[in-house]
Amino acid sequence: MGVSVEVLASGSRGNSTIVQSSTTRILVDAGISCRETFKRMKAAGDDPHSLSAILITHEHTDHVSGLLVLARKLKIPVFMTGATHQAWSRAMRDADGERPQLDRVEFFSSGRSFHIGDIAVMPFTIPHDAADPVGFTFRAEGMKIAVATDLGYMPASVRDQLRGCDLLVLESNHDVEMLRVGAYPWSVKQRVMSRVGHLSNSALAEFFATDYDGSASYIVLAHLSEENNHPELARSAAEKALSGRLWGNRVLLATQAEAMQPIRF
Ligand SMILES: [Zn+2]
Ligand SMILES: [Zn+2]
């Protein structure tokens, strides 16, 4: 079986990715409904009940909207930081002020690695307007995988985590010009463009052109804006920056509407 990654959904209407080894299967974010998660997994020939754990990057709706139902139905542990859990449960209070209960929640801290089964997980802080947002690297069976979306810019601390990866799932959220002239209200444009917003095609290209080590066989461009980006703009910005360094990495695009083909090692 080996290590594989499958992006089930990616974008502002829901994010969810499966990272798995031969023995452990982690759902990274639960941003689409339980029903849709099951549907997309089954379409790929995967049994949702084989998931080992759910891992949450931050409490924004597009990363947690399916969390409660999924966790209850699958009866598997949910891993998140304490601050993310607090922000999530505050936001999820019902009309009586009751906070939602997860049967099994495990807290981790950014910068401290831990294991889920045989997968070593390293959470790292990303600049984003949430309580305690993180990206992750995963190590299993000699492979290293990084997932980093929802970041306003790419600080040196994040660039360090992305070294030596066999697969990168990175945000390529918007084309700056499309966002600038687009229909979003100015306040939203400012949020997206800010240092705690979302990563543009050109900011990601700058990383590829200056700091990227060329180690990944696959680069998945993720969390693309449907309003302020075109898949081909994102792809060409990344490929141009990569070819300038003569890295022959394959660039793939994650989409909102359907799951990607699993990437297997
Ligand atoms: Zn977010
Ligand atoms: Zn998001």
Side-chain angles (χ1 to χ4, degrees):
M1 282 222 305
V3 171
S4 73
V5 173
E6 182 183 2
V7 180
L8 293 179
S10 184
S12 59
R13 287 187 291 112
N15 297 274
S16 209
T17 297
I18 297 168
V19 175
Q20 68 173 55
S21 68
S22 304
T23 58
T24 305
R25 187 172 272 176
I26 301 172
L27 189 69
V28 183
D29 283 334
I32 52 176
S33 69
C34 178
R35 176 203 291 248
E36 190 64 23
T37 304
F38 278 30
K39 193 175 120 191
R40 294 188 186 197
M41 285 188 74
K42 284 175 183 164
D46 287 333
D47 175 11
H49 293 275
S50 67
L51 286 167
S52 319
I54 301 172
L55 195 51
I56 298 296
T57 59
H58 65 298
E59 74 278 14
H60 287 163
T61 310
D62 58 318
H63 298 260
V64 296
S65 64
L67 175 59
L68 204 51
V69 179
L70 271 163
R72 283 184 180 157
K73 198 161 268 185
L74 296 174
K75 299 182 172 53
I76 54 176
V78 177
F79 290 75
M80 55 173 108
T81 75
T84 296
H85 179 257
Q86 251 188 358
W88 171 76
S89 63
R90 212 180 299 133
M92 291 283 294
R93 273 182 302 205
D94 63 18
D96 302 325
E98 286 294 316
R99 293 176 182 232
Q101 294 299 326
L102 291 168
D103 289 341
R104 296 166 68 189
V105 55
E106 305 266 352
F107 297 121
F108 63 79
S109 301
S110 176
R112 291 203 181 163
S113 65
F114 58 96
H115 274 82
I116 299 176
D118 67 343
I119 301 180
V121 182
M122 179 61 159
F124 55 90
T125 297
I126 53 171
H128 190 55
D129 53 1
D132 189 15
V134 295
F136 296 108
T137 64
F138 302 92
R139 288 177 195 266
E141 299 173 35
M143 312 300 291
K144 183 181 177 191
I145 289 150
V147 176
T149 66
D150 301 71
L151 61 172
Y153 70 105
M154 213 186 261
S157 55
V158 171
R159 293 170 195 245
D160 284 347
Q161 300 291 338
L162 304 182
R163 299 226 164 87
C165 286
D166 300 283
L167 189 156
L168 295 168
V169 180
L170 297 176
E171 174 162 51
S172 194
N173 180 262
H174 58 277
D175 174 79
V176 174
E177 205 42 44
M178 281 183 75
L179 178 65
R180 217 192 296 276
V181 303
Y184 277 15
W186 177 239
S187 58
V188 179
K189 290 184 185 182
Q190 268 185 318
R191 186 213 151 224
V192 173
M193 278 192 256
S194 78
R195 301 269 281 178
V196 289
H198 289 277
L199 202 68
S200 68
N201 297 346
S202 56
L204 181 61
E206 184 273 336
F207 162 70
F208 288 139
T210 56
D211 258 340
Y212 172 54
D213 63 4
S215 62
S217 311
Y218 298 95
I219 293 167
V220 177
L221 307 181
H223 217 304
L224 269 68
S225 167
E226 292 176 300
E227 288 269 337
N228 302 308
N229 211 349
H230 285 307
E232 288 317 312
L233 280 178
R235 180 194 289 279
S236 70
E239 286 184 341
K240 203 169 141 209
L242 290 163
S243 69
R245 302 280 302 274
L246 297 175
W247 306 127
N249 305 144
R250 255 190 93 189
V251 175
L252 305 170
L253 288 154
T255 68
Q256 188 76 80
E258 54 188 5
M260 285 179 73
Q261 287 287 331
I263 301 164
R264 297 182 207 281
F265 290 96

